[in-house]
Structures are given as structure tokens and as C-alpha cells.
Amino acid sequence: TSSADVMALPTAGELAAAELGKGKQPTALIFLDAFRLELGHRLASLLNTGEPAQRAIVSAAVAPIPSITALGMAFALPVERGKLTVSLDAERRGFQVSADGWKGDLTVAEQRRKWLGKHLSVTDFLSIKDVLDGETLQLGARPKRLLVVHGNELDSDGHEGQLALSGADEHLERYAQAIRRLREVGYARVIVVTDHGFFHH
């Protein structure tokens, strides 16, 4: 694959926006930190096992460089990349991401939540733990139009060195359980996006 082919790929956020535009069924949008492409294929395989038809598919996306959470999570928001502007903040010694019609810095998690609230009317933001606790999401309750879930287990375990020791299997099982739980309580569509890209020589 040439670099031109890679750059022509949509971002994770553009893929999510396209899916959201396909219908108004209750949807869970899951942001997974540091979730590599091969892990996406493994998660899809877990979800498809035992199903009468393929339910989970994986789509490759282009991620910004450098491949860091601050940039990647902004580009995973359901917005066209042409509406995002990246700049270098000399005082903070880091990047800033702004969006057309939005003054906040989308490298900041709270600003991303506010953006999702304003542009997509999201009111509920959960963690993977919240989804799995059996109390936050109740059977029979009316699901929201759009629910946002965030998982950072792979990122934090990677930084702490635990991932190198134990691998990703336990997290993948938890993510699969969380997605099944979301479907069980009425979220007919689940979209998973991630921030980091990967390089292959």
C-alpha cells in the first residue's frame, strides 16, 4: 500500500460519522485508547463467534502523526478531518486541536465531552466498568439515542508495563462483554473507534 492510499483512508471519526448517518437506532459510541488494528480484528472475532451471521466488522482508518492520544482522540470524534485544525501550543509545549465553530481544545477530554454534548446531544458518558457493573444500564430502560463509552485499560496497562506481562486477552474479553451488554439493554448499533495508529515497515 502506498502512502497516498493510506492518506486517502477516512479517519476513525469520519467512519463513525458515516455510520451515525445511516439511521437513528440507539447507538453506543465506544472510544478505546491504544486499541491497535490487530486487536480490533481479535475483538471482532470474539463477537462473531457463535453468531448465525457476521455482526462485527473492522475498517482501517488513518490516524494523525505523531500517534498520541491528544491528537488521536480528537480525530476519532465524528467530524470531518477538514473541519479540524491542529496547532502547536508553545506555552503548553503540546498540540491543540480546534474545530470549525468550536473554541475549545479537543485534545482535552472534557472539551471532547462538551463537543459531543453540543453537536450530538450526548448526555451520558460511561466507562467500560460502568457498562459491566450491572447497575448503571438496566434491562427494560429506554436506551439513549447516543451513549458514549470510554475505555483506557490498554493504555494505562501499557504505560505501567502490565500489558507486556499479561497480554491483552483479559481486556478483549471485557470489551466483548461490554458490547454484548450494550446490545442486551437495547443498543442495536455499537461503533468502536480508537486514537492510535500503527506503523509497519
Side-chain angles (χ1 to χ4, degrees):
T1 302
S2 71
S3 59
D5 291 335
V6 171
M7 291 306 296
L9 289 171
T11 64
E14 287 171 329
L15 285 169
E19 283 300 318
L20 288 170
K22 290 179 182 176
K24 298 192 180 213
Q25 65 264 50
T27 299
L29 177 58
I30 304 179
F31 293 86
L32 293 182
D33 204 340
F35 200 64
R36 301 186 310 270
L37 183 64
E38 53 99 357
L39 293 178
H41 283 286
R42 287 171 62 188
L43 177 60
S45 179
L46 281 173
L47 293 168
N48 286 325
T49 298
E51 293 288 348
Q54 184 183 37
R55 291 185 181 273
I57 61 166
V58 179
S59 299
V62 66
I65 298 173
S67 184
I68 57 176
T69 297
L71 290 178
M73 281 298 180
F75 279 78
L77 289 170
V79 61
E80 295 170 28
R81 78 180 101 182
K83 294 183 177 178
L84 297 174
T85 302
V86 179
S87 58
L88 191 60
D89 184 338
E91 287 183 16
R92 283 177 45 208
R93 296 183 181 182
F95 293 99
Q96 275 189 309
V97 179
S98 59
D100 290 359
W102 186 257
K103 292 180 181 178
D105 179 5
L106 295 174
T107 66
V108 179
E110 182 59 29
Q111 286 296 315
R112 293 194 296 273
R113 286 191 286 271
K114 287 181 178 178
W115 186 93
L116 286 161
K118 179 181 177 184
H119 291 273
L120 295 175
S121 303
V122 177
T123 57
D124 288 29
F125 298 88
L126 304 180
S127 67
I128 293 294
K129 184 176 181 294
D130 293 331
V131 173
L132 293 172
D133 68 12
E135 298 175 8
T136 306
L137 297 173
Q138 296 293 326
L139 283 171
R142 185 175 179 182
K144 304 281 184 177
R145 160 77 175 86
L146 182 60
L147 171 74
V148 168
V149 180
H150 185 261
N152 67 346
E153 294 82 0
L154 287 165
D155 189 55
S156 50
D157 274 6
H159 286 302
E160 293 167 7
Q162 184 61 34
L163 203 60
L165 296 173
S166 60
D169 289 352
E170 184 179 340
H171 294 310
L172 285 169
E173 286 289 349
R174 279 173 55 80
Y175 291 157
Q177 287 173 18
I179 290 170
R180 291 189 192 104
R181 175 66 180 165
L182 288 162
R183 287 179 50 203
E184 185 180 57
V185 299
Y187 289 93
R189 176 174 57 184
V190 179
I191 302 168
V192 179
V193 293
T194 188
D195 55 347
H196 294 308
F198 75 100
F199 298 91
H200 188 74
H201 294 281

